[in-house]
Amino acid sequence: SHTFFVPSAMVSSTAKRHARARACASSSSTSSSPNLTADRVALSASRRNIRLRYDGLGPAFRVTATAALDCEGDGQEGEEVGHVTGFWLPTGYVHFDEMRVPRTARGRSQGAFGTGLLLGCYALCRLREKGCETAELLAINDNPYQYDKLVRYYERMGFDKVREVGSGESPWLVDLGDQLVWGGTGMLMRARVDDVIEKWAR
């Protein structure tokens, strides 16, 4: 958003009040709608020599990150450096199945989370365009060390813990349902799509 300054000699005190009211209304409108878009994320990725692509078939989707080749303007893509898969529902729900970034590609983009953050933000921006409001994922518990790091990673991204899947702490019917839906054990995590986008738009 832009702030416009008007010389005081050119406006009356009433006009000044009106200008301030309009500025406040504009600021409120901007803050209520995250301004990070899929195009902005894709542009940020391209500056790091990464191309992002969203492919969908019905509710299923896959977002792929590929290394941009050195040749300019030919539209060619190099090797895959990460992907996100899942599906969305007309109710506004997003189910993330997998986020995979090879170890060799994790330092390719600069910033707190690199390629993984670009993938996640791009996916959420595209899914927001479809009306999605809530996203869930399972931080898989393969081993305690990696599990703790994974949970902290998604918390920093903007997801909140919901419950431990497969720990026996939930009623058996809930635990069984979770494991059937997610296909593993770990921490079920949830986020509002707008909250995550707004966090990384700053």
Side-chain angles (χ1 to χ4, degrees):
S1 61
H2 300 279
T3 302
F4 297 91
F5 296 93
V6 182
S8 58
M10 297 177 59
V11 294
S12 66
S13 59
T14 300
K16 287 180 181 179
R17 287 196 296 272
H18 289 170
R20 284 197 296 269
R22 286 194 298 270
C24 290
S26 175
S27 174
S28 175
S29 173
T30 301
S31 63
S32 65
S33 178
N35 61 359
L36 187 64
T37 65
D39 288 343
R40 281 186 58 194
V41 179
L43 179 61
S44 178
S46 69
R47 290 170 178 162
R48 295 162 172 80
N49 294 321
I50 292 175
R51 288 200 175 102
L52 300 172
R53 186 180 72 249
Y54 179 98
D55 297 301
L57 182 61
F61 67 86
R62 177 187 176 97
V63 174
T64 307
T66 55
L69 298 181
D70 292 335
C71 300
E72 296 182 1
D74 56 11
Q76 296 185 54
E77 297 178 350
E79 64 175 345
E80 180 178 309
V81 293
H83 67 260
V84 175
T85 62
F87 64 85
W88 62 277
L89 299 176
T91 57
Y93 170 80
V94 179
H95 174 114
F96 283 111
D97 277 328
E98 178 183 52
M99 176 187 285
R100 186 173 297 277
V101 178
R103 187 176 299 277
T104 55
R106 291 176 190 174
R108 179 175 292 274
S109 60
Q110 303 299 316
F113 299 100
T115 305
L117 179 61
L118 290 171
L119 280 165
C121 285
Y122 185 76
L124 289 174
C125 285
R126 291 299 302 267
L127 292 163
R128 184 183 60 176
E129 295 169 2
K130 301 179 184 299
C132 295
E133 299 176 349
T134 303
E136 287 187 342
L137 56 82
L138 186 72
I140 295 292
N141 187 359
D142 286 333
N143 66 73
Y145 176 71
Q146 289 295 337
Y147 177 52
D148 288 342
K149 287 181 63 177
L150 196 59
V151 170
R152 290 197 301 271
Y153 175 94
Y154 287 122
E155 283 184 316
R156 290 181 63 195
M157 186 176 282
F159 284 78
D160 297 319
K161 297 177 183 177
V162 178
R163 60 178 172 272
E164 195 97 28
V165 173
S167 65
E169 297 178 359
S170 301
W172 72 270
L173 195 57
V174 173
D175 210 34
L176 176 62
D178 283 341
Q179 292 188 61
L180 289 174
V181 169
W182 294 101
T185 61
M187 181 63 69
L188 177 60
M189 307 188 74
R190 181 182 299 145
R192 289 188 68 253
V193 172
D194 274 354
D195 287 348
V196 177
I197 293 174
E198 185 174 5
K199 176 177 181 176
W200 295 104
R202 297 169 186 167

